[in-house]
Short mmCIF file of all heavy atoms in Angstrom, two decimals:
data_model
loop_
_atom_site.label_atom_id
_atom_site.label_comp_id
_atom_site.label_asym_id
_atom_site.label_seq_id
_atom_site.Cartn_x
_atom_site.Cartn_y
_atom_site.Cartn_z
N GLN A 1 0.81 -1.22 0.00
CA GLN A 1 0.00 0.00 0.00
C GLN A 1 0.84 1.27 0.00
O GLN A 1 0.40 2.30 -0.48
CB GLN A 1 -0.92 0.01 1.22
CG GLN A 1 -2.04 -0.98 1.16
CD GLN A 1 -3.05 -0.63 0.08
OE1 GLN A 1 -3.48 0.51 0.00
NE2 GLN A 1 -3.40 -1.59 -0.74
N TYR A 2 2.04 1.23 0.56
CA TYR A 2 2.88 2.43 0.66
C TYR A 2 3.11 3.08 -0.70
O TYR A 2 2.86 4.28 -0.85
CB TYR A 2 4.21 2.09 1.34
CG TYR A 2 5.15 3.26 1.37
CD1 TYR A 2 4.98 4.28 2.30
CD2 TYR A 2 6.17 3.39 0.44
CE1 TYR A 2 5.81 5.38 2.32
CE2 TYR A 2 7.02 4.50 0.44
CZ TYR A 2 6.83 5.48 1.38
OH TYR A 2 7.66 6.56 1.39
N PRO A 3 3.57 2.37 -1.73
CA PRO A 3 3.78 3.05 -3.02
C PRO A 3 2.48 3.55 -3.64
O PRO A 3 2.46 4.55 -4.34
CB PRO A 3 4.42 1.98 -3.92
CG PRO A 3 4.75 0.83 -3.07
CD PRO A 3 4.04 0.99 -1.76
N LEU A 4 1.37 2.83 -3.36
CA LEU A 4 0.09 3.25 -3.92
C LEU A 4 -0.33 4.62 -3.38
O LEU A 4 -0.81 5.46 -4.13
CB LEU A 4 -0.99 2.21 -3.61
CG LEU A 4 -2.40 2.56 -4.07
CD1 LEU A 4 -2.45 2.60 -5.59
CD2 LEU A 4 -3.40 1.57 -3.53
N TRP A 5 -0.13 4.88 -2.12
CA TRP A 5 -0.57 6.13 -1.52
C TRP A 5 0.51 7.20 -1.46
O TRP A 5 0.25 8.37 -1.68
CB TRP A 5 -1.10 5.88 -0.11
CG TRP A 5 -2.36 5.10 -0.13
CD1 TRP A 5 -2.50 3.77 0.06
CD2 TRP A 5 -3.66 5.62 -0.39
NE1 TRP A 5 -3.80 3.41 -0.05
CE2 TRP A 5 -4.55 4.52 -0.34
CE3 TRP A 5 -4.17 6.88 -0.67
CZ2 TRP A 5 -5.92 4.65 -0.53
CZ3 TRP A 5 -5.52 7.01 -0.87
CH2 TRP A 5 -6.39 5.90 -0.80
N LEU A 6 1.75 6.80 -1.13
CA LEU A 6 2.78 7.78 -0.86
C LEU A 6 3.95 7.73 -1.84
O LEU A 6 4.85 8.56 -1.76
CB LEU A 6 3.32 7.60 0.58
CG LEU A 6 2.25 7.67 1.67
CD1 LEU A 6 2.86 7.28 3.01
CD2 LEU A 6 1.64 9.04 1.74
N GLY A 7 3.97 6.81 -2.76
CA GLY A 7 5.09 6.65 -3.68
C GLY A 7 5.11 7.70 -4.77
O GLY A 7 4.29 8.63 -4.81
N LYS A 8 6.05 7.55 -5.70
CA LYS A 8 6.25 8.53 -6.77
C LYS A 8 5.00 8.70 -7.65
O LYS A 8 4.66 9.80 -8.05
CB LYS A 8 7.45 8.10 -7.61
CG LYS A 8 7.85 9.10 -8.65
CD LYS A 8 9.12 8.70 -9.37
CE LYS A 8 9.53 9.77 -10.35
NZ LYS A 8 10.76 9.42 -11.04
N GLY A 9 4.33 7.63 -7.95
CA GLY A 9 3.12 7.71 -8.78
C GLY A 9 1.88 7.43 -7.97
O GLY A 9 0.87 6.99 -8.52
N GLY A 10 1.90 7.71 -6.68
CA GLY A 10 0.78 7.39 -5.80
C GLY A 10 -0.37 8.37 -5.95
O GLY A 10 -0.31 9.38 -6.66
N TRP A 11 -1.44 8.04 -5.21
CA TRP A 11 -2.66 8.83 -5.30
C TRP A 11 -2.47 10.26 -4.82
O TRP A 11 -3.04 11.19 -5.39
CB TRP A 11 -3.78 8.16 -4.49
CG TRP A 11 -4.37 6.98 -5.20
CD1 TRP A 11 -4.20 5.67 -4.87
CD2 TRP A 11 -5.19 7.01 -6.36
NE1 TRP A 11 -4.86 4.88 -5.76
CE2 TRP A 11 -5.50 5.67 -6.69
CE3 TRP A 11 -5.71 8.01 -7.15
CZ2 TRP A 11 -6.27 5.33 -7.77
CZ3 TRP A 11 -6.49 7.67 -8.23
CH2 TRP A 11 -6.77 6.34 -8.53
N LEU A 12 -1.69 10.45 -3.80
CA LEU A 12 -1.47 11.82 -3.31
C LEU A 12 -0.80 12.68 -4.38
O LEU A 12 -1.16 13.84 -4.57
CB LEU A 12 -0.63 11.80 -2.02
CG LEU A 12 -1.29 11.13 -0.82
CD1 LEU A 12 -0.32 11.10 0.36
CD2 LEU A 12 -2.57 11.86 -0.43
N ARG A 13 0.16 12.11 -5.06
CA ARG A 13 0.85 12.84 -6.14
C ARG A 13 -0.11 13.11 -7.30
O ARG A 13 -0.11 14.19 -7.89
CB ARG A 13 2.06 12.02 -6.61
CG ARG A 13 2.82 12.63 -7.74
CD ARG A 13 3.68 13.77 -7.26
NE ARG A 13 4.53 14.20 -8.37
CZ ARG A 13 4.79 15.45 -8.63
NH1 ARG A 13 4.35 16.39 -7.83
NH2 ARG A 13 5.54 15.78 -9.65
N VAL A 14 -0.94 12.15 -7.62
CA VAL A 14 -1.93 12.32 -8.69
C VAL A 14 -2.90 13.44 -8.35
O VAL A 14 -3.22 14.28 -9.19
CB VAL A 14 -2.67 10.99 -8.96
CG1 VAL A 14 -3.87 11.20 -9.89
CG2 VAL A 14 -1.73 9.96 -9.55
N TRP A 15 -3.38 13.47 -7.11
CA TRP A 15 -4.32 14.53 -6.72
C TRP A 15 -3.65 15.91 -6.79
O TRP A 15 -4.26 16.87 -7.22
CB TRP A 15 -4.82 14.28 -5.30
CG TRP A 15 -5.79 13.13 -5.20
CD1 TRP A 15 -6.60 12.66 -6.17
CD2 TRP A 15 -6.03 12.34 -4.04
NE1 TRP A 15 -7.34 11.60 -5.72
CE2 TRP A 15 -7.01 11.38 -4.39
CE3 TRP A 15 -5.52 12.32 -2.75
CZ2 TRP A 15 -7.49 10.44 -3.51
CZ3 TRP A 15 -6.01 11.38 -1.86
CH2 TRP A 15 -6.97 10.45 -2.24
N GLU A 16 -2.39 15.99 -6.37
CA GLU A 16 -1.67 17.26 -6.44
C GLU A 16 -1.49 17.70 -7.90
O GLU A 16 -1.67 18.87 -8.23
CB GLU A 16 -0.31 17.13 -5.74
CG GLU A 16 0.56 18.35 -5.85
CD GLU A 16 -0.01 19.59 -5.17
OE1 GLU A 16 -0.85 19.46 -4.25
OE2 GLU A 16 0.38 20.70 -5.56
N LEU A 17 -1.14 16.78 -8.76
CA LEU A 17 -0.96 17.12 -10.18
C LEU A 17 -2.28 17.53 -10.83
O LEU A 17 -2.30 18.44 -11.67
CB LEU A 17 -0.32 15.95 -10.93
CG LEU A 17 1.14 15.66 -10.59
CD1 LEU A 17 1.61 14.40 -11.29
CD2 LEU A 17 2.02 16.84 -10.96
N GLU A 18 -3.38 16.89 -10.45
CA GLU A 18 -4.68 17.28 -10.98
C GLU A 18 -5.06 18.70 -10.54
O GLU A 18 -5.60 19.48 -11.32
CB GLU A 18 -5.76 16.29 -10.55
CG GLU A 18 -5.71 14.97 -11.29
CD GLU A 18 -6.75 13.98 -10.81
OE1 GLU A 18 -7.40 14.22 -9.76
OE2 GLU A 18 -6.91 12.95 -11.47
N ARG A 19 -4.74 19.04 -9.29
CA ARG A 19 -5.01 20.39 -8.79
C ARG A 19 -4.17 21.42 -9.56
O ARG A 19 -4.68 22.46 -9.98
CB ARG A 19 -4.69 20.47 -7.29
CG ARG A 19 -5.06 21.80 -6.65
CD ARG A 19 -4.59 21.88 -5.21
NE ARG A 19 -3.14 21.84 -5.08
CZ ARG A 19 -2.32 22.87 -5.28
NH1 ARG A 19 -2.83 24.03 -5.63
NH2 ARG A 19 -1.03 22.74 -5.14
N GLN A 20 -2.89 21.11 -9.79
CA GLN A 20 -2.03 22.01 -10.55
C GLN A 20 -2.52 22.15 -11.99
O GLN A 20 -2.48 23.25 -12.56
CB GLN A 20 -0.59 21.52 -10.53
CG GLN A 20 0.08 21.65 -9.19
CD GLN A 20 1.49 21.06 -9.20
OE1 GLN A 20 1.97 20.56 -10.22
NE2 GLN A 20 2.14 21.10 -8.04
N LEU A 21 -2.99 21.04 -12.57
CA LEU A 21 -3.51 21.08 -13.94
C LEU A 21 -4.75 21.96 -14.03
O LEU A 21 -4.88 22.77 -14.96
CB LEU A 21 -3.84 19.66 -14.40
CG LEU A 21 -4.45 19.53 -15.79
CD1 LEU A 21 -3.46 19.97 -16.86
CD2 LEU A 21 -4.90 18.11 -16.04
N THR A 22 -5.63 21.87 -13.06
CA THR A 22 -6.84 22.70 -13.06
C THR A 22 -6.48 24.18 -12.95
O THR A 22 -7.06 25.01 -13.66
CB THR A 22 -7.75 22.29 -11.88
OG1 THR A 22 -8.06 20.90 -12.00
CG2 THR A 22 -9.03 23.09 -11.87
N GLN A 23 -5.52 24.51 -12.09
CA GLN A 23 -5.09 25.90 -11.97
C GLN A 23 -4.47 26.39 -13.27
O GLN A 23 -4.74 27.52 -13.71
CB GLN A 23 -4.09 26.04 -10.83
CG GLN A 23 -4.69 25.94 -9.45
CD GLN A 23 -3.63 26.04 -8.36
OE1 GLN A 23 -2.44 25.92 -8.61
NE2 GLN A 23 -4.09 26.24 -7.14
N ALA A 24 -3.63 25.58 -13.90
CA ALA A 24 -2.99 25.99 -15.15
C ALA A 24 -4.02 26.19 -16.25
O ALA A 24 -3.92 27.13 -17.05
CB ALA A 24 -1.95 24.95 -15.56
N GLN A 25 -5.03 25.32 -16.30
CA GLN A 25 -6.07 25.48 -17.32
C GLN A 25 -6.87 26.75 -17.09
O GLN A 25 -7.24 27.44 -18.05
CB GLN A 25 -7.00 24.26 -17.32
CG GLN A 25 -6.36 23.03 -17.92
CD GLN A 25 -7.23 21.79 -17.78
OE1 GLN A 25 -8.12 21.73 -16.92
NE2 GLN A 25 -6.97 20.79 -18.60
N GLY A 26 -7.13 27.10 -15.84
CA GLY A 26 -7.84 28.35 -15.53
C GLY A 26 -7.03 29.56 -15.97
O GLY A 26 -7.57 30.50 -16.56
N ARG A 27 -5.72 29.55 -15.69
CA ARG A 27 -4.86 30.65 -16.13
C ARG A 27 -4.82 30.73 -17.65
O ARG A 27 -4.86 31.83 -18.23
CB ARG A 27 -3.44 30.48 -15.58
CG ARG A 27 -3.31 30.83 -14.12
CD ARG A 27 -1.85 30.92 -13.68
NE ARG A 27 -1.08 29.73 -14.01
CZ ARG A 27 -0.83 28.71 -13.19
NH1 ARG A 27 -1.31 28.73 -11.97
NH2 ARG A 27 -0.11 27.67 -13.59
N ASN A 28 -4.73 29.58 -18.30
CA ASN A 28 -4.70 29.56 -19.77
C ASN A 28 -5.99 30.12 -20.36
O ASN A 28 -5.95 30.85 -21.36
CB ASN A 28 -4.46 28.15 -20.28
CG ASN A 28 -3.02 27.71 -20.11
OD1 ASN A 28 -2.14 28.51 -19.85
ND2 ASN A 28 -2.79 26.42 -20.25
N ASP A 29 -7.13 29.79 -19.77
CA ASP A 29 -8.40 30.31 -20.27
C ASP A 29 -8.46 31.83 -20.15
O ASP A 29 -8.90 32.52 -21.07
CB ASP A 29 -9.57 29.69 -19.50
CG ASP A 29 -9.76 28.21 -19.83
OD1 ASP A 29 -9.24 27.75 -20.87
OD2 ASP A 29 -10.41 27.51 -19.02
#
């Protein structure tokens, strides 16, 4: 479970990248 939640490609990293993507798309718009 450790790599799934806290690893390089884990869920926490995915959620952070999705948040950054949403912000970047808003700025681009």
Side-chain angles (χ1 to χ4, degrees):
Q1 289 292 312
Y2 175 78
L4 177 66
W5 292 98
L6 304 172
K8 187 174 183 179
W11 283 108
L12 295 176
R13 178 77 172 139
V14 169
W15 287 334
E16 176 63 23
L17 290 174
E18 285 178 350
R19 185 186 64 80
Q20 290 176 1
L21 178 65
T22 303
Q23 287 178 345
Q25 287 174 339
R27 284 191 307 264
N28 285 346
D29 291 341

